[in-house]
Amino acid sequence: IRTINESDYLSFKDVNPELFKLARLQNDDGNLYFNASRTDDLAGLFYKGAKNQISFLKNIASSSFLDLATTESEISLNGFSIADNEDPFFDIFKGNPSTTFTVANLISNDAYALNHLSFTNSKSFLERLSNYRQKQETEYQSARQTLEKYDINPIDFSSWMGNELAFYETNYQNGQFTIIKTNDIAQANKQLKDISKRLATANQDSVYSEVYDGFEITFFPLTEFPSLIFGNMTRGFEDVFYINYDNWLIFSNDFQNIKNLIDDIRNENTWGKSLTFNQYLELINKEANLSYIINTKNALRTMMGLATEEWKDFMNRNEQIIKEFELVGIQFSNIDDKYFTNVDFFHPGEYVKRQG
């Protein structure tokens, strides 16, 4: 049993009674009961400033119950999370079933963290996301004023927006990417070009674009455009560039990052072409509403930069062991207003044999 502080005297069962009503496996390797509303406090024990950086996590769920299972290649925790806290993030998926994960071929192997969202109805998703942000994000009102100034309504994007969103980060030049699946790429391009022209006129500027390897890379003259539409989870776009690839829109915060991604796609240097990732994909839920996946080899440098001194020392001493858990993911899927939850640690079986 682990607690964050000693001032809470109610038992865990008293505070989270709904968890103990959930069905559970009889022959698993163990159980984990977790007060998810204290996630930011827990992270603060390991990472400097974590409360500020990931405070939104406490709004995802209030509590979780997970069954533990292990195999040669996986440590998994599966169960349910309950979101009975006020205005939970999960509400954006209410009545909106998930769809299949299909974005892997656009994720560079240099990525260290991926946030993937899937849904069936993009209009419902955008409306519920806007309602959530209005209640939970202090930046929402200023974002709304900026969008209204340039006559941009995020709900209008539902006329061409598909059923997947992905946000990921790379180590190279602090790379940030936002990827949107579309149902109508021509309509998406038209709307973005119309907005770009309005912005250029307002700023007495012109629309800039450049062709690289057959792709038109366009500068979008609105700082933090992805976060203005989708919220704080997509912050980091001081500059905004985009291309369309098949039926996808790909945004990045740097012109060179877009070119690097085009090269990676051409050279099949992506998660979709990675044997390791495809093995991992076979183990996880490919139809989750929300997936957060970390490539530990790529992420370790960033993790160590944020870690407290105690945990930085631990990571230095155990770097190779940590890297052996090549991919770590947490996923949520809406089932009858409870959220089926998967946590997976993927590692190669050869490591188990060597250590055994």
Side-chain angles (χ1 to χ4, degrees), residues 72 317-325 347-356:
E72 278 198 349
R317 287 185 284 107
N318 297 280
E319 179 177 351
Q320 191 56 43
I321 294 175
I322 294 171
K323 285 183 175 180
E324 290 290 346
F325 289 90
H347 60 86
E350 291 78 7
Y351 176 74
V352 176
K353 293 175 184 177
R354 288 202 307 270
Q355 298 300 309

Side-chain angles (χ1 to χ4, degrees), residues 122-150:
S122 61
K123 185 176 182 181
S124 172
F125 169 78
L126 290 169
E127 290 174 342
R128 286 184 171 275
L129 178 61
S130 179
N131 290 336
Y132 168 81
R133 292 177 60 205
Q134 186 172 3
K135 296 172 182 175
Q136 295 291 347
E137 293 186 3
T138 56
E139 301 86 354
Y140 176 78
Q141 289 303 327
S142 62
R144 183 176 178 178
Q145 290 171 5
T146 300
L147 293 174
E148 289 177 348
K149 177 180 177 181
Y150 298 111

